[in-house]
Amino acid sequence: MILVTGGAGFIGSNFIRDWIAQGGGPVTNLDCLTYAGNLASLADVAARPEYRFARGDIGDRAFVRQLLSDTRPRAVVNFAAESHVDRSIHSGGEFVRTNVVGTFNLLEEVRAYWSALPPAEQAAFRFLHVSTDEVYGSLDFADPPFTESHRYAPNSPYSASKAASDHLVRAAHHTYGLPVLTTNCSNNYGPYHFPEKLIPLMILHALQGKPLPVYGDGRNVRDWLYVADHCSAIRLVLEKGRVGETYNVGGRNEKSNLEVVHAICTLLDELSPRADAVPYAAQVSYVKDRPGHDRRYAIDATKLESELGWRAAEDFATGLRKTVQWYLANPAWIEGVTSGAYRQWVDQHYAQAAA
Ligand code: NAD
Ligand code: TYD
């Protein structure tokens, strides 16, 4: 049994689906179902005998204690987090509550559980913390990509809260010997991505005939990784990673936001052209920049590749095509997750950006 936190979110749900498909064994999903958590993302595995869902908060120590004692996991994979930079700029409290305090409480309970395990199980146990490249801050265009030894310099409330959680994980290992692993991954994209993030938001807005809101000059660069490749990296690090180490995860797919938006438009022109035959790119609209907007992220994944033999299976062209096809084929999922609360966020946020 492994315990996955935040498994009803974008990456966690992909991870659980892949884990079961690869015959990874029983998995418990601990998720409190915030706006970003959707059980519809796991509808196809919900009835599998290996899968169990437990609704709860990683910060609720009594709940976590009971769940650990009931399920007796051999590993915990911690995805649970508030994850959207724009929301962290509007209101950072939840980011501190879940990403910092929640991770701390989870670590405390996991450590108590781990300490009481028989020696062989204690030695085999792992706590894998899923983190982001955003903890390293922003690169200039000519800088080399982030390696694991790059200094932490988070710039948003989101990345600052993730940096704090990484430090707490590190401290749990250094101080108490908890067998931890940390992965720092670049921007993910793929199926079940909540449509507040760049790629799914642009696909949806394009299909709905809405403006495609590009922040600032659109030249900010992100290093995009197809979500299944992130999941394969996590599985590998969990199995073979050296305890106490951090591993950067990225597929060397640096793209400016404008390149991403135009690539989406081109795919939609081919796969679902507008009724009036006007290219979707006509909907591109520049809006006010995000405050403190990091210019560039780029990952050097050499350590993961050379030590553990990981390779990304998708490049940006193949991954983006799969992603656009998935959104076109799954209108019911989109309908299900774009609730009243989602529409309220989009209306408020983009009204301010346009102002
Ligand atoms: P997401 O926002 O889609 O999902 C987060 C999940 O965590 C949701 O299901 C939510 O209900 C759950 N959750 C939130 N607070 C919780 C709490 N207190 N207790 C229990 N569950 C809680 O996020 P994602 O994009 O799937 O990201 C997952 C993890 O990967 C995060 O830690 C994020 O920092 C990291 N990450 C994301 C990316 C990316 O591009 N999305 C890249 C690198 C790293
Ligand atoms: P996002 O998906 O929010 O990921 P992150 O901020 O964690 O990298 O944004 C990716 C990039 O796209 C980022 O540079 C901000 C930009 N962006 C837009 O230009 N318009 C949008 O509507 C959104 C959501 C993001």
Side-chain angles (χ1 to χ4, degrees):
M1 165 71 72
I2 64 162
L3 177 63
V4 167
T5 73
F10 164 46
I11 308 173
S13 63
N14 278 282
F15 179 81
I16 289 175
R17 176 173 300 94
D18 288 359
W19 181 266
I20 291 174
Q22 308 271 334
V27 49
T28 298
N29 173 16
L30 158 59
D31 196 301
C32 71
L33 300 181
T34 67
Y35 77 93
N38 294 289
L39 290 180
S41 303
L42 287 163
D44 54 335
V45 298
R48 293 284 296 241
E50 306 96 313
Y51 176 74
R52 169 178 171 184
F53 175 63
R55 185 169 188 176
D57 193 311
I58 57 164
D60 179 344
R61 289 187 59 166
F63 179 85
V64 171
R65 190 177 314 143
Q66 189 63 48
L67 189 66
L68 288 167
S69 140
D70 290 348
T71 57
R72 315 232 19 106
R74 68 175 175 84
V76 174
V77 184
N78 183 32
F79 292 95
E82 289 292 333
S83 69
H84 189 32
V85 173
D86 291 323
R87 286 186 190 252
S88 81
I89 293 168
H90 284 268
S91 171
E94 278 303 295
F95 290 72
V96 174
R97 201 187 66 75
T98 283
N99 301 1
V100 186
V101 181
T103 303
F104 175 75
N105 286 353
L106 177 67
L107 280 166
E108 288 289 278
E109 288 305 324
V110 169
R111 182 162 65 83
Y113 162 76
W114 165 78
S115 305
L117 287 175
E121 289 175 41
Q122 213 177 74
F125 184 83
R126 297 289 181 269
F127 181 95
L128 191 152
H129 180 59
V130 180
S131 193
T132 163
D133 59 359
E134 303 191 26
V135 297
Y136 298 125
S138 185
L139 292 169
D140 286 333
F141 291 115
D143 289 341
F146 301 126
T147 63
E148 288 78 1
S149 57
H150 198 96
R151 78 184 172 100
Y152 272 38
N155 290 319
S156 73
Y158 163 65
S159 53
S161 67
K162 289 297 291 187
S165 69
D166 293 9
H167 293 324
L168 290 168
V169 171
R170 178 190 159 90
H173 174 65
H174 193 79
T175 309
Y176 308 109
L178 187 71
V180 305
L181 298 152
T182 298
T183 53
N184 293 91
C185 188
S186 59
N187 286 61
N188 284 213
Y189 66 101
Y192 303 101
H193 203 181
F194 194 73
E196 65 187 352
K197 305 279 172 68
L198 178 74
I199 289 182
L201 184 119
M202 292 296 171
I203 297 171
L204 255 62
H205 277 212
L207 294 172
Q208 291 165 351
K210 291 185 185 166
L212 306 180
V214 173
Y215 296 165
D217 62 8
R219 291 180 61 230
N220 301 67
V221 169
R222 299 291 183 265
D223 191 350
W224 293 95
L225 185 70
Y226 191 65
V227 63
D229 284 325
H230 188 186
C231 294
S232 76
I234 293 171
R235 286 199 304 274
L236 195 59
V237 172
L238 192 57
E239 192 193 338
K240 294 189 180 152
R242 280 186 293 134
V243 164
E245 292 290 312
T246 67
Y247 293 89
N248 281 355
V249 188
R252 298 191 173 86
N253 284 298
E254 287 185 56
K255 303 279 171 212
S256 73
N257 293 337
L258 269 181
E259 284 176 298
V260 171
V261 173
H262 281 282
I264 292 169
C265 290
T266 304
L267 278 165
L268 286 173
D269 289 338
E270 175 198 329
L271 299 170
S272 182
R274 272 173 47 155
D276 58 6
V278 172
Y280 283 102
Q283 290 167 228
V284 169
S285 140
Y286 292 88
V287 300
K288 199 153 83 188
D289 206 356
R290 172 188 281 175
H293 195 174
D294 283 341
R295 202 57 169 154
R296 173 174 166 243
Y297 305 137
I299 279 282
D300 180 344
T302 304
K303 179 176 174 184
L304 180 65
E305 291 165 347
S306 57
E307 234 181 65
L308 304 186
W310 178 83
R311 289 282 177 284
E314 305 289 343
D315 63 21
F316 191 65
T318 59
L320 193 66
R321 177 172 287 271
K322 283 187 181 175
T323 304
V324 170
Q325 283 169 333
W326 187 87
Y327 278 89
L328 289 171
N330 287 279
W333 181 86
I334 296 165
E335 183 61 30
V337 303
T338 47
S339 63
Y342 165 80
R343 276 192 286 275
Q344 201 187 351
W345 158 257
V346 171
D347 289 349
Q348 269 175 14
H349 176 62
Y350 291 100
Q352 283 174 22

